[in-house]
């Protein structure tokens, strides 16, 4: 009697086991399941080929007809695509974001930043990667200020713990002090990041601000030099007795505004008094300067 053997059923079973084990191990050992699946998917063809050869071997002395189980092969391909999609979503962070949204609340909290006493060797301060920052002058030799934090936590108690952690990092290199904001993570769902920063800087140390979205400079009694690089929106408030030169290296005068009178010849410039304190602005899309 003729027997029918369907090729694809065993391969589908093995592939289901492999994908399940891969996903399980990726959760435990934190390796990339997506990369592994993309690297081993040719094993599907190898398994189907081995299954065909096995049935051919069994049928050489018997009346066995081999038929391809097209349904199983189709299901294998569907499972492969679905698993790649699941792994891609998981490793892109979208799953974590959805879980965080469902399990946590957003608390907006004010927090004094960790202060830093500047020694006499520091002659430059660099602030890198700040979203919204307001800079004011101080005659003290220390950096202080207040930050507004976005805190995502499952409850208020956990939010308070996250908000109590340092949210500013200071790194000294030679005569330069680097300032960075810190994103604190308590677990997979609870974390905090800085929404805005109001900071007091010594008025006699040169300052460079890089990679910032919004910057407000309250220019009052500063005795230093300034550089703003890759700051999208800049708002400078000058007092009536400011002694300053502002150079804005932009392509068009249309990017310059405020109640002062800009001159423009290849770059925007404004000089007040002797202009001994210089503010250089590079790569900005919106610059506003007002005298008050």
């Amino acid at each position: 009697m003729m027997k029918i053997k369907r090729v694809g059923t065993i391969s589908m079973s093995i592939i289901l086991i492999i994908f399940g084990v891969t996903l399980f191990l990726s959760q435990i050992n934190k390796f990339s399941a997506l990369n592994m699946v993309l690297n081993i998917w040719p094993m599907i063809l190898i398994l189907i080929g081995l299954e065909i050869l096995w049935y051919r071997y069994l049928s050489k002395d018997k009346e066995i007809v081999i038929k391809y189980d097209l349904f199983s092969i189709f299901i294998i391909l569907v499972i492969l695509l679905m698993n790649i999609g699941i792994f891609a979503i998981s490793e892109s962070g979208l799953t974590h974001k959805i879980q965080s949204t469902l399990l946590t609340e957003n608390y907006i909290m004010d927090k004094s930043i960790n202060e830093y006493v500047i020694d006499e060797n520091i002659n430059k301060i660099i602030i890198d990667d700040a979203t919204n920052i307001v800079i004011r002058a101080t005659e003290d030799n220390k950096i202080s200020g207040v930050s507004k934090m976005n805190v995502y936590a499952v409850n208020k108690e956990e939010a308070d713990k996250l908000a109590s952690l340092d949210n500013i990092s200071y790194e000294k290199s030679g005569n330069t002090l680097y300032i960075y904001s810190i994103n604190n993570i308590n677990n997979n769902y609870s974390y905090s990041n800085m929404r805005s920063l109001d900071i007091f800087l010594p008025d006699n140390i040169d300052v460079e601000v890089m990679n910032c979205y919004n910057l407000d400079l309250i220019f009052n009694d500063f005795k230093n030099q300034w550089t703003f690089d890759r700051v999208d929106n800049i708002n400078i408030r000058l007092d009536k007795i400011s002694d300053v030169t502002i150079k804005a290296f932009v392509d068009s005068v249309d990017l310059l505004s405020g109640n002062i009178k800009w001159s423009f010849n290849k770059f925007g410039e404004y000089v007040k008094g002797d202009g001994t304190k210089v503010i250089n602005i590079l790569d900005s899309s919106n610059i506003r300067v007002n005298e008050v």
Side-chain angles (χ1 to χ4, degrees):
M1 182 178 178
M2 191 75 67
K3 292 184 178 180
I4 298 176
K5 294 291 185 181
R6 293 187 176 276
V7 174
T9 305
I10 296 177
S11 298
M12 181 180 70
S13 302
I14 295 174
I15 289 168
L16 285 172
I17 294 171
I18 291 175
F19 282 170
V21 171
T22 300
L23 183 58
F24 176 72
L25 292 178
S26 71
Q27 300 296 318
I28 296 176
N29 298 322
K30 305 300 181 183
F31 65 81
S32 174
L34 177 60
N35 288 339
M36 176 167 286
V37 170
L38 292 176
N39 288 330
I40 68 172
W41 74 265
M43 286 294 296
I44 295 175
L45 302 178
I46 295 172
L47 287 172
I48 294 175
L50 289 174
E51 189 175 352
I52 293 171
L53 291 175
W54 174 249
Y55 282 132
R56 286 292 184 189
Y57 173 78
L58 293 179
S59 65
K60 64 180 182 179
D61 297 324
K62 301 177 183 178
E63 294 184 353
I64 298 177
V65 176
I66 297 177
K67 288 190 175 182
Y68 297 102
D69 192 342
L70 297 179
F71 178 75
S72 293
I73 295 174
F74 172 75
I75 294 298
I76 289 172
L77 295 176
V78 171
I79 292 172
L80 173 64
L81 295 175
M82 288 180 62
N83 276 272
I84 290 176
I86 292 170
F87 295 151
I89 291 173
S90 176
E91 294 182 17
S92 69
L94 182 59
T95 303
H96 178 265
K97 290 179 180 178
I98 293 173
Q99 291 173 331
S100 297
T101 301
L102 295 176
L103 297 177
T104 63
E105 294 184 51
N106 181 18
Y107 299 88
I108 299 176
M109 311 179 75
D110 293 328
K111 166 74 164 50
S112 296
I113 68 172
N114 40 310
E115 295 183 350
Y116 186 91
V117 178
I118 297 178
D119 61 55
E120 59 183 11
N121 296 323
I122 297 296
N123 56 29
K124 187 174 185 178
I125 295 172
I126 296 178
I127 302 175
D128 191 6
D129 194 19
T131 303
N132 301 293
I133 184 170
V134 179
I135 300 177
R136 306 176 192 271
T138 179
E139 295 180 353
D140 297 334
N141 67 332
K142 68 178 181 180
I143 298 172
S144 61
V146 176
S147 65
K148 190 173 290 292
M149 306 294 296
N150 282 323
V151 182
Y152 298 87
V154 295
N155 53 52
K156 185 64 166 58
E157 182 182 359
E158 189 172 84
D160 289 334
K161 289 181 180 179
L162 274 171
S164 67
L165 301 175
D166 288 346
N167 51 14
I168 291 289
S169 171
Y170 301 98
E171 296 184 15
K172 182 180 176 182
S173 177
N175 297 326
T176 302
L177 178 67
Y178 292 85
I179 301 177
Y180 306 95
S181 62
I182 299 175
N183 295 330
N184 291 306
I185 300 176
N186 188 38
N187 52 47
N188 288 332
Y189 308 115
S190 300
Y191 62 95
S192 67
N193 55 49
M194 188 176 295
R195 185 173 184 172
S196 62
L197 173 64
D198 196 324
I199 191 169
F200 289 85
L201 299 179
D203 58 8
N204 59 347
I205 298 178
D206 294 346
V207 177
E208 181 175 347
V209 181
M210 306 169 55
N211 305 311
C212 178
Y213 183 65
N214 289 317
L215 183 147
D216 287 87
L217 173 63
I218 314 301
F219 195 89
N220 183 14
D221 294 333
F222 276 108
K223 307 174 182 65
N224 55 355
Q225 312 297 322
W226 296 80
T227 300
F228 300 146
D229 190 6
R230 297 186 300 278
V231 179
D232 290 340
N233 301 294
I234 298 174
N235 183 35
I236 300 174
R237 190 175 75 189
L238 304 175
D239 59 20
K240 293 294 184 180
I241 59 173
S242 294
D243 180 17
V244 64
T245 297
I246 301 176
K247 295 182 179 181
F249 296 91
V250 295
D251 295 329
S252 171
V253 70
D254 295 334
L255 301 178
L256 309 175
S257 63
N259 64 6
I260 65 169
K261 186 176 181 180
W262 290 94
S263 64
F264 192 87
N265 184 12
K266 295 184 179 180
F267 61 90
E269 186 174 28
Y270 173 73
V271 180
K272 183 173 178 59
D274 294 331
T276 54
K277 289 85 176 179
V278 179
I279 301 176
N280 289 306
I281 301 175
L282 312 172
D283 195 9
S284 178
S285 57
N286 182 28
I287 303 168
R288 180 183 293 105
V289 180
N290 289 299
E291 277 188 3
V292 294

